[in-house]
């Protein structure tokens, strides 16, 4: 029978029972070194990062986290890329599509002068990594990038929407500069025929550089309603997520119910209902992939995945304002906030 010391050695654990991981590029291998994670967030700490760190703690991985936030300004990314090169962390964590593309580049156009190609990258809160060009395949990324997808497939969301209230016309408001959003709108167009609905599309105004602007957003929402939309679908559009405080009041004023593709849209953005992956769980999924990499697995072989189970959340305060209540049977499995 193995004694405790032999068992710890066999499991690759340190003397305290904490998983001991090899060092990353740029430093000598040291089985006792703390793995170093460089984290880049888009709009400050979220439940995703809490889930990420908690997963490390629950699995006895004593990592050293360096966190940087770009405060919704992707122009800050080049300086952070330079810092990553100097620090040579074992792994880079990225939040969202704009950050991930800014750090890792497209799989077919990554530039070693502008992107991180040596350190492995694990993303979270990316809706469509293949369509965005981050990886060529979900099952086998083929590069040192993988991660956790947070968006429930659009078809499942549309079916949940119809379960709450059948619709013939669906409205969507999105940024043309966000590849995730463009990819999901393409999927909605494909589903419109088989699922028998008409799609009303509107895009945000843009500045001279093509960045989205909030100018006239209330009129865009009103126009979607005038076009006969039964629902306004909140895509996981990064810019949209920054102006829920303008879009949701406009939708309420127009009597237009809203359906969120991400947890933030319902909990903070004022959407009526959403079929979502919980941010905390998405962070844990990203952490599980990070630990696989830190233990030696090649990220190019680790699938990028979504969660297996989703949550239906109903914002009852919004339901009361719209006088638009869910079917009673839905209350048996939905979370009401």
């Amino acid at each position: 029978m193995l004694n405790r010391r032999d068992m710890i050695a066999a499991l690759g654990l340190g003397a305290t029972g904490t998983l001991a991981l090899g060092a990353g590029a740029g430093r000598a291998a040291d089985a006792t070194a703390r793995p170093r994670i460089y984290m880049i967030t888009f709009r400050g700490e979220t439940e995703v990062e809490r889930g990420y760190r908690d997963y490390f703690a629950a699995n006895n991985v004593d990592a050293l986290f360096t966190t940087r936030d770009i405060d919704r300004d992707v122009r800050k990314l080049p300086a952070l890329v330079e810092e990553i090169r100097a620090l040579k962390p074992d792994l880079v964590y990225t939040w969202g599509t704009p950050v991930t593309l800014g750090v890792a580049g497209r799989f077919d156009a990554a530039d070693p002068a502008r992107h991180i190609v040596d350190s492995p990258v694990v993303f979270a809160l990316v809706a469509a990594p293949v369509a965005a060009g981050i990886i060529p395949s979900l099952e086998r990324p083929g590069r040192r990038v993988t991660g956790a997808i947070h968006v429930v497939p659009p078809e499942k969301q549309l079916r949940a929407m119809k379960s709450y209230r059948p619709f013939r016309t669906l409205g969507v408001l999105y940024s043309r500069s966000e590849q995730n959003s463009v990819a999901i709108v393409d999927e909605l167009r494909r589903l419109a025929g088989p699922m028998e609905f008409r799609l009303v599309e509107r895009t945000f105004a843009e500045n001279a550089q093509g960045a989205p602007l909030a100018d006239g957003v209330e009129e865009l929402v009103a126009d979607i309603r005038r076009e006969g939309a039964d629902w306004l679908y909140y895509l996981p559009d990064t810019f949209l997520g920054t102006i829920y405080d303008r879009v949701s009041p406009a939708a309420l004023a127009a009597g237009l119910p809203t359906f969120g593709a991400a947890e933030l849209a319902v909990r903070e953005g004022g959407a009526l209902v959403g079929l979502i992956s919980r941010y905390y769980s998405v962070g844990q999924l990203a952490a599980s992939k990070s630990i696989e990499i830190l233990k030696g697995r090649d990220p190019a072989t680790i699938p990028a995945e979504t969660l297996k189970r989703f949550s239906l959340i109903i914002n009852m305060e919004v339901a009361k304002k719209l006088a638009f209540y869910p079917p009673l049977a839905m209350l048996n499995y939905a979370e009401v906030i």
Side-chain angles (χ1 to χ4, degrees):
M1 179 180 295
L2 290 173
N3 59 31
R4 183 176 184 277
R5 177 175 296 178
D6 292 338
M7 185 176 296
I8 287 173
L11 292 174
L13 300 175
T16 62
T18 299
L19 185 63
L21 301 167
R27 56 181 171 148
D30 178 358
T32 65
R34 296 174 68 188
R36 300 177 299 165
I37 314 292
Y38 189 101
M39 304 179 72
I40 306 179
T41 56
F42 181 75
R43 54 174 183 83
E45 294 277 315
T46 68
E47 280 291 289
V48 186
E49 287 72 51
R50 189 168 75 85
Y52 188 85
R53 290 192 180 94
D54 283 356
Y55 190 91
F56 273 77
N59 285 273
N60 297 317
V61 179
D62 184 21
L64 179 64
F65 298 100
T66 298
T67 304
R68 301 287 185 265
D69 181 61
I70 65 169
D71 192 24
R72 305 174 182 178
D73 185 357
V74 295
R75 294 173 298 180
K76 297 178 180 179
L77 288 173
L80 298 186
V81 168
E82 289 302 313
E83 185 177 40
I84 292 169
R85 289 202 182 96
L87 294 177
K88 296 183 172 58
D90 298 295
L91 185 140
V92 179
Y93 162 96
T94 57
W95 193 103
T97 301
V99 173
T100 305
L101 284 171
V103 170
R106 289 180 54 90
F107 76 89
D108 55 355
D111 181 355
R114 296 187 298 117
H115 302 122
I116 297 301
V117 296
D118 296 324
S119 297
V121 174
V122 173
F123 59 75
L125 271 286
V126 170
V130 173
I134 294 170
I135 51 177
S137 165
L138 296 180
E139 294 75 19
R140 193 174 180 85
R143 63 183 305 208
R144 305 194 75 193
V145 180
T146 188
I149 301 165
H150 70 297
V151 174
V152 179
E155 184 173 355
K156 292 181 184 293
Q157 292 194 328
L158 296 180
R159 295 195 184 283
M161 209 183 298
K162 285 195 170 188
S163 295
Y164 195 115
R165 180 192 189 187
F167 64 91
R168 296 303 301 267
T169 304
L170 179 66
V172 64
L173 179 61
Y174 68 102
S175 308
R176 289 188 298 184
S177 59
E178 294 196 25
Q179 291 169 294
N180 272 341
S181 300
V182 172
I184 293 173
V185 171
D186 285 343
E187 178 68 4
L188 294 176
R189 292 173 187 145
R190 187 190 68 79
L191 292 169
M195 297 188 71
E196 299 182 334
F197 67 87
R198 181 171 66 96
L199 187 63
V200 176
E201 303 175 28
R202 294 294 183 272
T203 57
F204 294 112
E206 298 173 352
N207 64 18
Q209 291 72 44
L213 300 170
D215 297 357
V217 68
E218 289 84 2
E219 180 57 29
L220 287 173
V221 173
D223 190 42
I224 288 171
R225 183 58 163 164
R226 284 193 294 268
E227 283 289 314
D230 303 299
W231 284 96
L232 176 58
Y233 182 34
Y234 284 173
L235 302 181
D237 186 286
T238 304
F239 178 72
L240 173 61
T242 68
I243 58 168
Y244 285 140
D245 59 344
R246 291 184 59 176
V247 177
S248 289
L252 277 174
L256 179 60
T258 49
F259 189 99
E263 186 173 7
L264 178 71
V266 185
R267 294 200 183 276
E268 299 180 27
L272 169 62
V273 61
L275 183 65
I276 57 93
S277 297
R278 294 188 183 278
Y279 275 18
Y280 184 87
S281 300
V282 172
Q284 293 199 310
L285 179 59
S288 71
K289 296 180 181 299
S290 298
I291 290 176
E292 284 189 71
I293 293 168
L294 294 171
K295 290 168 69 174
R297 186 171 174 186
D298 181 359
T301 69
I302 300 176
E305 299 173 291
T306 188
L307 297 169
K308 305 303 181 188
R309 299 182 65 181
F310 312 120
S311 299
L312 186 73
I313 304 178
I314 300 171
N315 189 326
M316 196 56 72
E317 182 180 351
V318 176
K320 290 177 181 177
K321 289 179 179 178
L322 288 170
F324 185 38
Y325 297 98
L328 288 177
M330 187 172 281
L331 297 177
N332 292 326
Y333 55 85
E335 176 188 350
V336 175
I337 60 173

